Amino acid sequence: MRHMPEPEPGAAADESGPARGRPLWYGLAAGVIVVAGFSARMAHQQQHPAPAPAISSDGRTVGGAGLGGAHVLASTQQFAMISPDNAPRALQQSGLTPDQQARILAGIRRREYRLVQMPLYDEGGRGGVVTVTSGGISQTVPLTPRPRTVLLPIRISGQVDIAPVTDPGLAGVAPGAITVLGPTPLPVIHRDEMLVLDVIVQ
């Protein structure tokens, strides 16, 4: 009876042939596709970056669902500061409520607020009424050719939000402010827009 020789362990054509390399090549091809897709996505984001949300003076997100998708206009202006010693008298003449005055004075004592005066006027001759918000306090200001001084409690962030009270129409409202440099036109505010001022105190 003849005994058939058993196959040697080293003769593994199925391990060393073309079939063995297929899983490796499949893995490499999949990796190349993933890397290419990631690179294309990053290139698209660099060309079209998502706008970062702006934060208003009282911590609200501007330009998102919090304000109905309002478009944000930005401007940086310098205004004069009222000394803490003169703050009580200035606040008494501001038209702010007693509660608001007490809140601002308490913030000044804690050095959380600086009191700034911002004269606003109608730059474009269109009139209109705006809401000015700073330090969590809102004031309604009619725009007229004669400047009206608005006292602003400015926090460390130094931001002031200005928005139309009613629909300003196609022309929008054109506020101006008297800064340390003199009368200064501010950006025109249209419907669904808000002007965010970065205030520098001097």
Side-chain angles (χ1 to χ4, degrees):
M1 183 174 181
R2 298 179 59 185
H3 294 279
M4 297 296 293
E6 296 182 1
E8 298 181 5
D14 57 332
E15 295 180 4
S16 59
R20 182 184 180 187
R22 288 177 186 172
L24 177 62
W25 284 108
Y26 291 158
L28 290 175
V32 169
I33 293 173
V34 171
V35 171
F38 178 77
S39 300
R41 181 178 179 183
M42 293 300 295
H44 177 77
Q45 290 181 352
Q46 289 178 355
Q47 294 177 359
H48 307 282
I55 305 298
S56 71
S57 60
D58 55 358
R60 297 170 297 162
T61 300
V62 180
L67 290 173
H71 179 66
V72 175
L73 308 174
S75 179
T76 301
Q77 302 296 336
Q78 299 181 16
F79 295 98
M81 184 181 79
I82 299 174
S83 67
D85 294 338
N86 296 330
R89 179 179 297 179
L91 287 170
Q92 289 177 357
Q93 302 172 355
S94 65
L96 293 169
T97 66
D99 290 342
Q100 290 174 329
Q101 295 181 35
R103 178 179 173 184
I104 294 172
L105 287 175
I108 292 175
R109 295 190 194 100
R110 293 192 302 266
R111 297 184 179 181
E112 295 176 357
Y113 289 149
R114 293 165 294 173
L115 192 61
V116 175
Q117 55 183 358
M118 181 177 69
L120 281 178
Y121 63 93
D122 181 15
E123 168 67 27
R126 305 166 192 169
V129 181
V130 296
T131 298
V132 180
T133 303
S134 175
I137 293 178
S138 296
Q139 304 176 58
T140 301
V141 182
L143 298 178
T144 63
R146 182 177 179 179
R148 175 175 174 177
T149 299
V150 182
L151 297 186
L152 304 172
I154 300 295
R155 289 176 175 164
I156 300 301
S157 61
Q159 287 190 347
V160 177
D161 302 340
I162 303 177
V165 172
T166 59
D167 186 355
L170 296 177
V173 293
I178 300 179
T179 70
V180 296
L181 303 177
T184 303
L186 299 177
V188 176
I189 310 172
H190 296 90
R191 181 179 179 181
D192 296 330
E193 290 183 337
M194 180 189 320
L195 173 61
V196 177
L197 294 182
D198 288 320
V199 176
I200 300 174
V201 181
Q202 281 197 343

